[in-house]
Coordinates of all heavy atoms in Angstrom, one line a residue:
F44 N 67.3 114.3 84.7 CA 66.6 113.0 84.7 C 67.1 112.2 83.4 O 67.3 112.8 82.4 CB 65.1 113.1 84.6 CG 64.5 113.4 85.9 CD1 64.0 114.7 86.2 CD2 64.4 112.5 86.9 CE1 63.4 115.0 87.4 CE2 63.8 112.8 88.2 CZ 63.4 114.1 88.4
A45 N 67.3 110.9 83.6 CA 67.8 110.0 82.6 C 66.6 109.5 81.7 O 65.5 109.4 82.2 CB 68.6 108.9 83.1
D46 N 67.0 109.3 80.5 CA 66.0 108.6 79.5 C 66.4 107.2 79.5 O 67.5 106.8 79.0 CB 66.2 109.3 78.1 CG 65.3 108.5 77.1 OD1 64.6 107.6 77.4 OD2 65.4 108.9 75.9
N47 N 65.6 106.3 80.1 CA 66.0 104.9 80.2 C 66.0 104.1 78.9 O 66.3 103.0 78.8 CB 65.2 104.2 81.2 CG 63.7 104.2 80.9 OD1 63.3 104.5 79.8 ND2 62.8 103.8 81.9
K48 N 65.6 104.9 77.8 CA 65.7 104.3 76.5 C 67.0 104.6 75.7 O 67.3 104.1 74.7 CB 64.5 104.7 75.6 CG 63.1 104.3 76.1 CD 62.9 102.8 76.0 CE 61.5 102.4 76.4 NZ 61.3 101.0 76.4
N49 N 67.8 105.5 76.4 CA 69.0 105.9 75.8 C 70.0 104.8 75.8 O 70.1 104.0 76.7 CB 69.6 107.1 76.6 CG 70.7 107.8 75.9 OD1 71.8 107.2 75.8 ND2 70.5 109.0 75.4
I50 N 70.8 104.7 74.7 CA 71.7 103.6 74.5 C 72.8 103.6 75.6 O 73.5 102.6 75.9 CB 72.4 103.5 73.1 CG1 73.2 104.8 72.9 CG2 71.4 103.3 72.1 CD1 74.0 104.7 71.6
Y51 N 73.1 104.7 76.2 CA 74.1 104.8 77.2 C 73.6 104.6 78.6 O 74.3 104.6 79.6 CB 74.7 106.2 77.2 CG 75.5 106.5 75.9 CD1 74.9 107.4 75.0 CD2 76.7 106.0 75.6 CE1 75.5 107.7 73.8 CE2 77.3 106.2 74.4 CZ 76.8 107.1 73.5 OH 77.4 107.4 72.3
Y52 N 72.3 104.4 78.8 CA 71.7 104.3 80.1 C 72.0 103.0 80.8 O 72.1 101.9 80.1 CB 70.1 104.4 80.0 CG 69.4 104.2 81.3 CD1 69.4 105.3 82.2 CD2 68.8 103.0 81.7 CE1 68.7 105.1 83.5 CE2 68.2 102.9 82.9 CZ 68.2 103.9 83.8 OH 67.5 103.8 85.0
S53 N 72.3 103.1 82.1 CA 72.6 101.9 82.9 C 72.1 102.1 84.3 O 72.1 103.1 84.8 CB 74.2 101.7 83.0 OG 74.5 100.6 83.9
T54 N 71.4 101.0 84.8 CA 70.9 101.1 86.1 C 72.0 101.0 87.2 O 71.8 101.5 88.3 CB 69.9 99.9 86.4 OG1 70.7 98.6 86.1 CG2 68.7 100.0 85.5
D55 N 73.2 100.6 86.8 CA 74.3 100.5 87.6 C 75.1 101.8 87.4 O 76.1 101.9 86.6 CB 75.2 99.3 87.3 CG 76.5 99.3 88.2 OD1 76.4 100.0 89.3 OD2 77.4 98.6 87.9
D56 N 74.7 102.9 88.1 CA 75.3 104.2 87.8 C 76.7 104.4 88.4 O 77.4 105.3 88.1 CB 74.4 105.4 88.3 CG 73.9 105.2 89.7 OD1 74.7 104.8 90.5 OD2 72.7 105.4 89.9

Side-chain angles (χ1 to χ4, degrees):
F44 281 106
D46 175 1
N47 60 12
K48 297 293 184 181
N49 191 288
I50 60 171
Y51 297 105
Y52 178 77
S53 172
T54 54
D55 180 20
D56 49 42

